[in-house]
Every structure is written in C-alpha cells, then in structure tokens.
Amino acid sequence: MDHRRLGRSGLMISEITYGNWLTHGELVGRDSALACIRAALDAGISTFDTADVYALGAAEEVLGEALRPVRRSSVEIATKVCLPTGDGPNDRGLSRKHIMESCHASLRRLGTDYVDLYQAHRFDERTPLDETLIAFDDLVRQGKVLYLGVSEWTAPQIRAALDLAEGIGLRSRIVANQPQYNMLWRVIEPEVLPLCRDEGIGQIVFQPLAQGVLTGKYLPGQPPPEGSRAASGGRAPRFIRRVLGDELLERVQRLRPLAEEAKLSMAQLAIAWTLSQDGISSAIIGATRPEQVTENAAAAGVRLSGELLAEIDGVLGDLVDRDPGKTAQMMSVKAAWHREQE
C-alpha cells in the first residue's frame, strides 16, 4: 500500500481509505464488518473514515472495536460532525456545543483518546464561522484532534474559513477536504481543486466507484443483481438510483475493454483513475465483503497512462458533470443518469 501526504501537512495517509458509510451498523452485520476491516488492515490500509451520524453512532463503535487490537499510532482515524445525530435543536450543525459534545461522544465510541482528522461534515449557515473554527482549534489544542478537515464545502466557503482562521490568529488550519469525486462526478475540478492545491489542502474523496456503478455490475435494461447495494434495504437504494440510467450504464460498459487491456478490474480502473488526478491524497472505499476490500485496495500504486485517461474521457463524454454549482448537491445529477421510469 502506497501512502501520500495529506495536502501540505506532515500527515501520511494510505492511498486507499476504508470508509463505513451505509455499511457498518446498517447494510452489514458486526461479523462481516469486522472481517472487512481486518481485510483492509491486511491490505495495508492504515486510514479509516467514519462519522458520528453513520448508523447513528454504530459505525464508529464497530470501527473502534475492530481497531482496538491494533497499535493506535499505526492507523489514522477520521470522523465527522455536523449532520443530525438526534431530534434536539442542538443535535446538529457546527455550534461550539454540538462540536464539543459530538467529539467527546465519537472518542468514546471509537475507544480512543484522539482522532487524527476531524471534519466538518457540511457547512453550517446558521452558526458563525468563527465559533466553529475556534471550537475546532480548541480541540486541537486539547490534543483530542490532530488535524482539521471539511467535507462538501464550496470553494468560497473554504476560502472564507482559511482567511478567517488567519485573521483571528488560530494555530490550526484546514488541511483536508472530503468531496464526492469520480470519473462521472467532477464538480470540484473548476473551483475547489485549484483552491485546495494552492492552499495545500488534500482531497480524501468518497464514492470513487459512484455507488458501485463504475464496477460494471449494473447492466442497462436489467434489474440490479441480487445482493447488490441497489437491491438492498435501508437508505442505499435512494442514493444509487440516481446513477442507474440506461444511457449511463451503457457508457460505463464501454469502459470494460479499457480495463481489460490495462489488466484491471472495472473497480480498480475507477479507483486508479481517481488517484491519478492531481491533488488527490486518498480514495475512500466501502465494502460489504472482505474480497471487495482486497480487490479495491489493489488499485493503490497503479498509474494510468495519459493515453488511457484520454480514452476514458472520450467514452464518458458529455455524461461527465463538472458543474461547480452542484458542490454539496450530490442528488442533483444529470437527467441522463436516471432510469427513464424514475
């Protein structure tokens, strides 16, 4: 497993991050989740991403249990705060109260004294930005958080946070951004990526497989295969339905010969594509079975040629979305991405 610096910080993270959104505590049981995390460790993955809101805390608990036998300094644990974790008016957002309470609850569930990376899961329009940044800075000063990040923030929001932190003399600054990014969804390319490259902010991107669609297992005109995320219960189908249009699936199938020529699986091609883009520090994978972890982790260290990257662009063509106005609006996909009947 290759490792990369997280932006301009001194923190090294694995090229593949293991994440547990929609899986641990929700789609898969405890034993399967523990097996997947063991497979991640066996593959050399050292970076693990979760959030307080995933399965209402159960995802953090499972991750903490799985990593308990591991030497703490050998892994990097990232979690997030902002999205609702309860029904109360202060059980959400980026107020000082919620940040502090959520961080302490996450540490307890994870069974650790600190997290390596603490991320603002979304931007909070209701809370003064200085209140948020000072609360994060205090957690860093207390040693409960080592590095700070954001997720799905727009370029102006990131710029405002950087300028404010410098203006009020905070000692910690944002070093990571966690956006959705893959071959199809490239909305961070026009604005977010250039800003982050200039400011030394690394990207830990989620959904490099576009909810599994880029693995090629979903076929045009056919129902989702049994056991797939699209055929499961819970919230997963709601997210994946947005990328099951026949036109999109047909175009994805045209990537298969390119993957075969490169001696890669479709999933490995998609992840390697993500890691080939400038400014990307790591790609987050999720899994319901250990063999998926092993396959996807093998994309680390793969370098795609410029010719192959150009061929991928040619295949996907006008289906690629680069609209920066859709940052943090993951459901706002192009019409051609949907199934016609939906």
Side-chain angles (χ1 to χ4, degrees):
M1 175 62 59
D2 289 348
H3 285 68
R4 298 182 179 186
R5 286 177 64 191
L6 180 55
R8 280 204 300 263
S9 78
L11 182 65
M12 301 295 292
I13 62 174
S14 51
E15 282 193 343
I16 306 294
T17 292
Y18 183 82
N20 62 4
W21 177 51
L22 295 179
T23 52
H24 298 178
E26 192 162 344
L27 279 182
V28 299
R30 172 184 171 278
D31 290 345
S32 295
L34 295 178
C36 286
I37 295 172
R38 284 193 293 269
L41 292 166
D42 289 343
I45 293 174
S46 64
T47 310
F48 295 84
D49 179 79
T50 187
D52 57 0
V53 73
Y54 295 170
L56 298 178
E60 288 183 326
E61 290 176 350
V62 172
L63 181 60
E65 179 183 354
L67 295 180
R68 202 153 295 141
V70 179
R71 181 168 56 90
R72 177 63 183 88
S73 60
S74 68
V75 295
E76 305 82 48
I77 300 175
T79 192
K80 312 181 199 71
V81 56
C82 185
L83 299 184
T85 54
D87 297 328
N90 289 309
D91 293 335
R92 67 199 66 206
L94 296 174
S95 68
R96 181 178 183 85
K97 176 177 173 63
H98 185 55
I99 288 173
M100 292 298 181
E101 291 175 348
S102 183
C103 181
H104 293 152
S106 290
L107 293 176
R108 184 173 61 253
R109 287 189 292 264
L110 289 164
T112 181
D113 295 329
Y114 68 95
V115 290
D116 298 271
L117 177 64
Y118 202 38
Q119 303 156 104
H121 210 158
R122 292 294 184 272
F123 190 82
D124 182 5
E125 299 281 359
R126 303 176 309 162
T127 301
L129 187 54
D130 60 342
E131 177 179 338
T132 296
L133 296 180
I134 291 171
F136 277 132
D137 191 60
D138 285 345
L139 288 171
V140 173
R141 290 169 182 261
Q142 294 167 12
K144 296 172 183 176
V145 170
L146 302 188
Y147 297 90
L148 300 177
V150 299
S151 178
E152 291 283 79
W153 283 28
T154 65
Q157 290 164 349
I158 296 172
R159 177 78 271 165
L162 293 172
D163 291 346
L164 181 57
E166 182 177 1
I168 61 179
L170 297 183
R171 295 170 63 182
S172 56
R173 83 192 293 272
I174 295 167
V175 301
N177 179 43
Q178 187 176 130
Q180 180 187 184
Y181 187 57
N182 54 55
M183 290 179 181
L184 294 163
W185 187 260
R186 307 188 198 179
V187 302
I188 64 171
E189 289 182 348
E191 297 178 0
V192 171
L193 269 181
L195 170 65
C196 288
R197 284 195 294 262
D198 288 345
E199 294 294 337
I201 297 172
Q203 311 297 304
I204 304 176
V205 304
F206 68 93
Q207 292 192 25
L209 299 179
Q211 287 285 298
V213 166
L214 291 174
T215 67
K217 63 184 173 185
Y218 298 103
L219 302 176
Q222 297 186 25
E226 185 177 349
S228 67
R229 185 170 294 191
S232 67
R235 298 175 299 152
R238 177 170 72 90
F239 291 102
I240 199 171
R241 286 191 194 106
R242 64 197 169 94
V243 284
L244 289 179
D246 284 346
E247 182 179 356
L248 180 66
L249 297 182
E250 288 169 2
R251 205 77 67 90
V252 168
Q253 289 302 313
R254 287 166 54 187
L255 295 174
R256 190 174 297 279
L258 302 182
E260 292 174 349
E261 185 177 351
K263 295 181 172 54
L264 300 170
S265 70
M266 293 276 282
Q268 290 166 347
L269 179 70
I271 295 170
W273 179 92
T274 302
L275 293 172
S276 296
Q277 307 307 305
D278 189 25
I280 307 302
S281 296
S282 184
I284 301 173
I285 64 167
T288 56
R289 302 188 308 276
E291 54 268 28
Q292 292 174 323
V293 179
T294 303
E295 176 190 345
N296 294 344
V302 173
R303 301 295 178 258
L304 305 183
S305 68
E307 181 181 358
L308 178 52
L309 293 171
E311 288 183 287
I312 291 170
D313 284 347
V315 168
L316 297 178
D318 59 353
L319 287 187
V320 173
D321 203 329
R322 296 183 177 87
D323 182 359
K326 294 182 179 180
T327 303
Q329 299 179 29
M330 68 167 63
M331 304 303 287
S332 300
V333 299
K334 292 187 174 186
W337 288 26
H338 288 279
R339 285 197 187 277
E340 292 183 5
Q341 66 268 26
E342 294 181 345

